Amino acid sequence: MANLKEEINKRRTFAIISHPDAGKTTLTEKLLLFGGAIQTAGAVKSNKIKKTAASDFMEIERQRGISVATSVMSFEYRNKIVNLLDTPGHKDFAEDTYRTLTAVDSVILVIDCVKGVEMQTEKLMEVCRMRDTPVIIFINKMDREGQDGFDLLDEIEAKLNINVRPMTWPINIGAEFKGVYNLTEKNINLFEPGSQKDDQDSIQIEDLSDSALDDLVGERDADQLREDVEMIEGVYDPLDHQEYLDANIAPVFFGSALNNFGVRELLNKFVEIAPVPGPRETDTRTVESGEDKFSGFIFKIHANIDPKHRDRIAFLRVCSGTFERNKFFKHVRLDKKIKFSNPYAFLARSKNVVDEAFPGDVIGLYDTGNFKIGDTLTEGEEMLFQGIPSFSPELFKEITNLDPMKTKQLEKGVKQLTDEGVAQLFVKQPGSIKIIGTVGELQFEVIQYRLKNEYGASARFDPVRYYKACWITTDKEAVLKDFVNRKKGHIAIDKDGNFVFMAESKYLLDRAKDDYPDLEFHFTSEFKLQQEV
Ligand code: G4P
């Protein structure tokens, strides 16, 4: 029997996040190459939904097929088991990314040095901040004419609301990029464009006043580096590991993923400092990863691309104890015992049936419709993991059945697709009007396509103008009842039976808030995690 504590300490479960095009896919690939999980460059590229293919359904289907394989990429590196969870790059699938972030212990954030902090970067960081997820920042594309290093750090601190500490520092940038100076190891890695070498030879420079530095990078850049390092040491405190783990400070690396430059330093530091699987909150108590009894939750569900086989794959993050094959576990929401004969893990990009899995691991479970996103499995304890909220969608459409003979199919399809988290469903009375809410237009296309192809249902989607769907709560039952009565036409029920106020405009939302000071309005379905609106 494996030693649970040792297994936990070996695990590093994380995701790479970025604004599209900053270099997430390229960095992922380089990390996998280091970890021996892939042998050739270009293997991960196919994972991306190309912008040009935004409405190409076959492309979406193809993506669904391969994205099962890339959902989790596990590899061993320096005696650690690294679990890299994939997040979709396309902004229309941002909610998938948010949910995946609930299953990681830390993230690496990639920023393009030319573009700086972009919109999606800010949104993703907000999600990380909700859960105090530790962040390491990789400033990419240093071979391009980007912004000044200090300006980038200032921008990151200001826009992402986190303190930074550079770990490496670039020597010049763009066409004149010479390499990086490692501020803690006190060595220089020289950049050779296009070299793709796995390991740059680092040159130890203990004392920056050494003239060897001038010989290496030229007098002008050597002087600039001396000045920069003096400034860094004056302005930024040394990295405090605990501050990083508490998500107060983000170590920053500079490099070029495409040129495989600076990636090794990043990975080495990552496995050294990134958090091991830690405690998780449930509705009743905090669960420590080292507890003997198994627990875990589902953060992602993937439908089988073959419509003849309705089974799906539910991705479970192990939170505590040991998951064992063929052992009965309790599905808390359904109050049902289930065992899994073919759970699989994703080592080196192949699926292997596993006998056991440990905290931090992600396993794929065949599912015939038992699971919804957010479901908890335990050894019997009644508790539900928290932190897998639904966010208020940005687009809403009313769904109308076009084929009365296929009502059942449509209902089933809509239910299963919303269980998978492809979109959210809000039901309004009278008439059980179904409103689908999504983050992006592309999700509607996926739904429409899949309803037809997998369920044989045909439906019309009519846009409805809503500003936000707000979850409403109060401890005053009578006030809630009154509000629901008065706003009847604007109240819907979400998948868990919660009341949702469908606000048509910010003005109407503000008015409702003024009129009902005892009610709380929330932009996410899990209330204690988020700021009030
Ligand atoms: P993403 O997953 O974050 O969306 O980004 P991805 O890795 O696909 O990178 C986006 C583009 O940036 C790609 O070019 C990629 O080759 C390029 N890139 C990544 N890292 C670097 C770097 O360090 N330096 C430079 N100069 N470019 C970099 P593309 O032309 O859009 O795609 P492709 O045709 O190369 O696949």
Side-chain angles (χ1 to χ4, degrees), residues 190-246:
L190 289 177
F191 177 63
E192 298 165 47
S195 97
Q196 296 288 330
K197 270 203 302 205
D198 262 13
D199 263 317
Q200 281 81 23
D201 305 316
S202 33
I203 302 156
Q204 207 63 30
I205 303 268
E206 288 297 334
D207 178 1
L208 282 180
S209 61
D210 193 333
S211 64
L213 179 64
D214 301 76
D215 300 341
L216 276 178
V217 300
E219 207 179 303
R220 186 198 56 184
D221 287 336
D223 281 344
Q224 185 66 52
L225 178 66
R226 291 181 182 114
E227 210 179 284
D228 288 353
V229 171
E230 202 182 310
M231 173 103 140
I232 291 164
E233 270 151 19
V235 174
Y236 300 101
D237 292 332
L239 181 71
D240 178 325
H241 191 199
Q242 193 55 45
E243 288 281 294
Y244 155 69
L245 294 176
D246 292 343

Side-chain angles (χ1 to χ4, degrees), residues 452-497:
K452 187 140 199 70
N453 275 270
E454 289 167 38
Y455 300 90
S458 93
R460 201 178 68 216
F461 289 83
D462 297 310
V464 234
R465 265 183 188 276
Y466 287 119
Y467 161 67
K468 285 278 174 194
C470 290
W471 283 266
I472 37 181
T473 55
T474 178
D475 45 17
K476 299 198 167 86
E477 256 329 289
V479 178
L480 184 66
K481 224 168 152 183
D482 179 51
F483 182 78
V484 168
N485 248 327
R486 286 263 296 275
K487 304 277 177 191
K488 240 189 242 123
H490 302 278
I491 298 289
I493 304 287
D494 78 355
K495 65 174 172 30
D496 300 316

Side-chain angles (χ1 to χ4, degrees), residues 17-28 45 48 50-51 89 110 112 138 140-144 255-261:
I17 53 176
S18 76
H19 189 90
D21 270 347
K24 180 172 78 75
T25 314
T26 313
L27 180 64
T28 300
K45 274 279 163 201
K48 270 181 77 173
K50 293 273 179 216
K51 281 135 277 181
V110 185
D112 178 338
F138 184 73
N140 191 26
K141 305 196 186 180
M142 292 306 290
D143 58 320
R144 308 222 354 225
S256 167
L258 187 64
N259 292 287
N260 205 2
F261 187 81

Side-chain angles (χ1 to χ4, degrees), residues 13-263:
T13 301
F14 79 113
I16 303 178
I17 53 176
S18 76
H19 189 90
D21 270 347
K24 180 172 78 75
T25 314
T26 313
L27 180 64
T28 300
E29 184 170 292
K30 302 298 173 193
L31 293 177
L32 295 181
L33 282 167
F34 280 128
I38 53 170
Q39 266 65 49
T40 50
V44 184
K45 274 279 163 201
S46 51
N47 171 24
K48 270 181 77 173
I49 295 187
K50 293 273 179 216
K51 281 135 277 181
T52 48
S55 357
D56 179 342
F57 302 123
M58 285 326 288
E59 177 64 16
I60 292 169
E61 281 296 275
R62 201 178 62 78
Q63 293 296 341
R64 277 205 299 135
I66 46 181
S67 61
V68 171
T70 58
S71 285
V72 191
M73 294 162 274
S74 301
F75 58 91
E76 279 194 53
Y77 185 78
R78 293 195 160 176
N79 289 324
K80 301 285 186 296
I81 294 175
V82 180
N83 296 316
L84 169 52
L85 273 52
D86 190 31
T87 56
H90 201 290
K91 72 167 182 22
D92 284 9
F93 296 105
E95 208 164 334
D96 272 359
T97 300
Y98 302 156
R99 282 192 294 259
T100 297
L101 292 181
T102 64
V104 301
D105 299 302
S106 70
V107 302
I108 292 180
L109 170 64
V110 185
I111 290 177
D112 178 338
C113 73
V114 184
K115 304 242 178 82
V117 174
E118 296 174 86
M119 203 180 75
Q120 198 66 12
T121 328
E122 287 186 57
K123 282 199 168 173
L124 290 163
M125 262 305 281
E126 270 172 36
V127 177
C128 291
R129 297 202 68 83
M130 281 181 176
R131 303 184 48 245
D132 293 330
T133 308
V135 179
I136 293 180
I137 297 173
F138 184 73
I139 299 186
N140 191 26
K141 305 196 186 180
M142 292 306 290
D143 58 320
R144 308 222 354 225
E145 304 299 330
Q147 302 173 36
D148 169 74
F150 287 110
D151 289 349
L152 280 167
L153 295 184
D154 285 350
E155 189 186 346
I156 292 169
E157 291 204 318
K159 287 196 178 159
L160 300 184
N161 194 17
I162 189 162
N163 294 318
V164 295
R165 165 69 210 196
M167 305 305 290
T168 60
W169 193 251
I171 303 167
N172 222 321
I173 193 165
E176 298 215 50
F177 180 52
K178 304 251 170 73
V180 293
Y181 175 65
N182 190 320
L183 290 150
T184 45
E185 314 277 325
K186 298 197 184 310
N187 58 35
I188 285 188
N189 279 332
L190 289 177
F191 177 63
E192 298 165 47
S195 97
Q196 296 288 330
K197 270 203 302 205
D198 262 13
D199 263 317
Q200 281 81 23
D201 305 316
S202 33
I203 302 156
Q204 207 63 30
I205 303 268
E206 288 297 334
D207 178 1
L208 282 180
S209 61
D210 193 333
S211 64
L213 179 64
D214 301 76
D215 300 341
L216 276 178
V217 300
E219 207 179 303
R220 186 198 56 184
D221 287 336
D223 281 344
Q224 185 66 52
L225 178 66
R226 291 181 182 114
E227 210 179 284
D228 288 353
V229 171
E230 202 182 310
M231 173 103 140
I232 291 164
E233 270 151 19
V235 174
Y236 300 101
D237 292 332
L239 181 71
D240 178 325
H241 191 199
Q242 193 55 45
E243 288 281 294
Y244 155 69
L245 294 176
D246 292 343
N248 292 325
I249 194 158
V252 179
F253 291 81
F254 291 83
S256 167
L258 187 64
N259 292 287
N260 205 2
F261 187 81
V263 179

